[in-house]
Amino acid sequence: SAVISQKPSRDICQRGTSLTIQCQVDSQVTMMFWYRQQPGQSLTLIATANQGSEATYESGFVIDKFPISRPNLTFSTLTVSNMSPEDSSIYLCSATDGLYGPQHFGDGTRLSIL
Amino acid sequence: AQTVTQSQPEMSVQEAETVTLSCTYDTSESDYYLFWYKQPPSRQMILVIRQEAYKQQNATENRFSVNFQKAAKSFSLKISDSQLGDAAMYFCAYRSPLIQGAQKLVFGQGTRLTINP
């Protein structure tokens, strides 16, 4: 199965700033995803990162707040913009290795906003 | 829209015993995929087991097995011979068929499993 690396693993940021999270997969994958896990909660899909086109966002998430890039089949970034304490969460990247394969996840990025 | 429900926020079991975690889901689709993921304190999501809805046979992976009841829309996870390393949050997840929903995963609320030595 694909090995997924995320950077940074954690960060503490000031209110109003932005942070970009990187996700690197060790093989080409068809689809990549970004999830948010708020403290003590389950995972919620933010968007599907599409290679060569704009990301597909879920209801409640907008591109201006969570811009996503996917320049190739192994890499994606998620930016959390104009951060507020409500953005304090774990952000996880996932990918599928094949059209019918399960999603595998990175280690996540724990983000705290002061 | 599909929903996934895990009615047990917390469970505990003695080491070496068997425990069953419950999951129910709601869908109008006839073909789909179901998963159990484990999230230890390290926060990495680890795939435990998967089940294709078109398969009648319950999936098994070593000490982990599922009881898939399609008509009842139930998908429980049984952990046999529990080990201390099994302690984690367990999430049940649903995925639509490939053509629909673009492989989006819908997660339940999670069950925190504690293993007592």
Side-chain angles (χ1 to χ4, degrees):
Chain A
S1 61
V3 176
I4 302 172
S5 303
Q6 273 185 244
K7 289 194 299 186
S9 61
R10 61 175 59 222
D11 208 339
I12 301 173
C13 300
Q14 295 295 321
R15 185 193 300 253
T17 62
S18 299
L19 180 75
T20 296
I21 303 169
Q22 298 180 1
C23 178
Q24 178 74 56
V25 189
D26 68 343
S27 59
Q28 293 186 347
V29 292
T30 52
M31 305 188 78
M32 296 180 73
F33 306 86
W34 288 98
Y35 289 85
R36 182 176 73 180
Q37 186 177 24
Q38 294 178 302
Q41 303 295 315
S42 185
L43 283 74
T44 301
L45 181 66
I46 297 172
T48 302
N50 302 309
Q51 194 267 329
S53 64
E54 229 174 63
T56 304
Y57 288 84
E58 296 297 307
S59 175
F61 297 96
V62 296
I63 188 171
D64 289 346
K65 177 67 176 177
F66 298 101
I68 288 170
S69 77
R70 189 174 174 196
N72 56 50
L73 292 176
T74 64
F75 186 78
S76 178
T77 67
L78 167 74
T79 299
V80 186
S81 303
N82 188 24
M83 289 183 286
S84 67
E86 293 71 35
D87 295 319
S88 297
S89 296
I90 297 172
Y91 293 86
L92 296 111
C93 169
S94 74
T96 55
D97 51 349
L99 289 178
Y100 299 98
Q103 284 187 29
H104 297 284
F105 287 80
D107 289 348
T109 297
R110 184 182 296 275
L111 188 56
S112 299
I113 315 304
L114 301 179
Chain B
Q2 293 80 24
T3 59
V4 178
T5 302
Q6 293 178 248
S7 60
Q8 305 155 317
E10 297 183 356
M11 291 282 285
S12 64
V13 65
Q14 289 298 124
E15 192 175 4
E17 293 188 347
T18 296
V19 63
T20 298
L21 308 184
S22 301
C23 173
T24 58
Y25 56 94
D26 186 27
T27 184
S28 59
E29 297 169 330
S30 59
D31 192 18
Y32 46 86
Y33 302 86
L34 296 166
F35 305 86
W36 279 97
Y37 283 88
K38 164 185 175 181
Q39 188 179 42
S42 65
R43 76 175 175 265
Q44 184 183 17
M45 293 286 286
I46 301 167
L47 178 65
V48 175
I49 199 165
R50 63 180 289 185
Q51 174 81 42
E52 291 86 353
Y54 65 85
K55 291 185 177 179
Q56 292 185 339
Q57 186 173 7
N58 290 324
T60 62
E61 287 287 342
N62 301 313
R63 298 183 295 107
F64 299 88
S65 62
V66 299
N67 183 5
F68 173 49
Q69 301 289 328
K70 190 173 184 178
K73 296 179 183 176
S74 171
F75 182 60
S76 61
L77 174 69
K78 185 172 81 171
I79 306 173
S80 303
D81 186 25
S82 298
Q83 301 176 0
L84 294 178
D86 295 333
M89 281 290 287
Y90 285 81
F91 291 97
C92 178
Y94 173 102
R95 194 184 85 194
S96 292
L98 177 62
I99 296 175
Q100 306 168 33
Q103 300 194 16
K104 168 184 174 180
L105 280 175
V106 177
F107 286 89
Q109 304 93 319
T111 297
R112 182 175 302 282
L113 178 64
T114 301
I115 311 296
N116 300 315

